[in-house]
Amino acid sequence: MSRQQLERRLAASVGEAARSARMSAGLTQADVAERVGIAAEVYGRMERGRMMPSVPTLFRLCLALRLSADVGMGLVTAASVGAALWEEDSKDKDHLPEMRRLLRTLRRMSRGQLKLMNQVASAILPQR
């Protein structure tokens, strides 16, 4: 097998493992890209096996997806290391996709917009 073939195979393996872990976690490509610190388009190319991440990016990807590097590089299957790639606590709303999307939107707002959003949220929440 040539070096180029090996690199393509490795990129495809990383992409498949990342997609599987991302979907199991209920994350979007944008969610993962944000956690890893790369553009969503770059993450999409990695997930499709079109590009191989650098070692530091692969490390951050494995951390963000709670993915074993062995699984990520195709050395073992997820089933052989426990299959629990992501354990989401339903009581912890910080991990919900809706919460992550809302936080991304809020981060783009000005201070005045944030104050207004806080007033809206306070108005729609039940009073204690």
Side-chain angles (χ1 to χ4, degrees):
M1 180 178 299
S2 74
R3 179 180 175 164
Q4 196 173 36
Q5 289 172 318
L6 185 61
E7 287 176 4
R8 276 196 300 259
R9 189 171 163 192
L10 181 57
S13 179
V14 168
E16 288 173 30
R19 175 180 290 126
S20 177
R22 175 182 64 79
M23 294 179 82
S24 293
L27 299 170
T28 65
Q29 287 185 345
D31 292 333
V32 176
E34 182 180 340
R35 288 178 178 201
V36 175
I38 59 176
E41 296 79 17
V42 171
Y43 176 76
R45 283 195 301 267
M46 284 182 356
E47 195 174 273
R48 288 188 301 277
R50 303 276 185 221
M51 119 180 239
M52 186 63 197
S54 66
V55 172
T57 300
L58 180 60
F59 177 77
R60 291 191 312 271
L61 179 66
C62 289
L63 289 176
L65 291 172
R66 298 184 182 179
L67 178 67
S68 161
D70 289 347
V71 173
M73 295 192 313
L75 299 173
V76 296
T77 64
S80 68
V81 292
L85 299 176
W86 186 273
E87 294 177 9
E88 185 172 316
D89 181 2
S90 60
K91 296 175 187 170
D92 187 4
K93 292 182 182 178
D94 289 346
H95 293 295
L96 294 175
E98 297 84 0
M99 180 62 77
R100 290 188 301 274
R101 281 191 284 277
L102 176 60
L103 288 172
R104 274 198 307 273
T105 301
L106 292 172
R107 286 185 192 115
R108 294 192 320 255
M109 292 183 173
S110 69
R111 190 175 200 162
Q113 290 171 319
L114 286 171
K115 287 177 94 174
L116 179 60
M117 286 302 298
N118 189 38
Q119 289 173 346
V120 170
S122 295
I124 63 174
L125 287 174
Q127 299 298 318
R128 292 183 185 193

